[in-house]
Amino acid sequence: GIAQQMERVGLLFGQVSRAIRAMLPELIGNALIVRLLAEREAVVTELWGESLEAIFSDVLSGGAAAGFCLAGESYLRGQWFRQALTMYERALGCDRQCNEARVRAAHLKAVLREDGAAV
């Protein structure tokens, strides 16, 4: 009874998880989706057994750096400067030549210094 129902629920969650992962290439254009993945990175890794970098590389033509830049842009638009800087720095960790990440990170560091926040 209960054990069978729990097994069915587990199977259902597994199917939903695989379906969402399969839909990611279509959803990844939404910066809020990318930001959610970054915010819940540990859950993403546990759920799909892949690092966030691997997922971004799989679904974005610009690779992992592009994913972190999208998340950074989302934070920047919301004026979450420290979080945006973190995402751009992660992008640079994936690709030191990512011009968008270099420019935005430098700008954000200046903004945060100007606001008196430690960078």
Side-chain angles (χ1 to χ4, degrees), residues 44-102:
V44 167
T45 301
E46 184 179 336
L47 184 63
W48 292 315
E50 299 176 75
S51 69
L52 191 55
E53 289 86 353
I55 291 170
F56 285 163
S57 291
D58 184 46
V59 298
L60 289 164
S61 61
F68 288 114
C69 283
L70 278 173
E73 180 182 346
S74 177
Y75 281 120
L76 187 57
R77 286 183 180 183
Q79 297 185 358
W80 294 88
F81 299 136
R82 184 161 306 286
Q83 291 87 340
L85 176 59
T86 299
M87 290 298 111
Y88 287 117
E89 287 175 338
R90 297 243 354 236
L92 287 171
C94 297
D95 178 4
R96 298 303 289 162
Q97 303 305 313
C98 180
N99 193 49
E100 177 185 355
R102 281 190 299 173

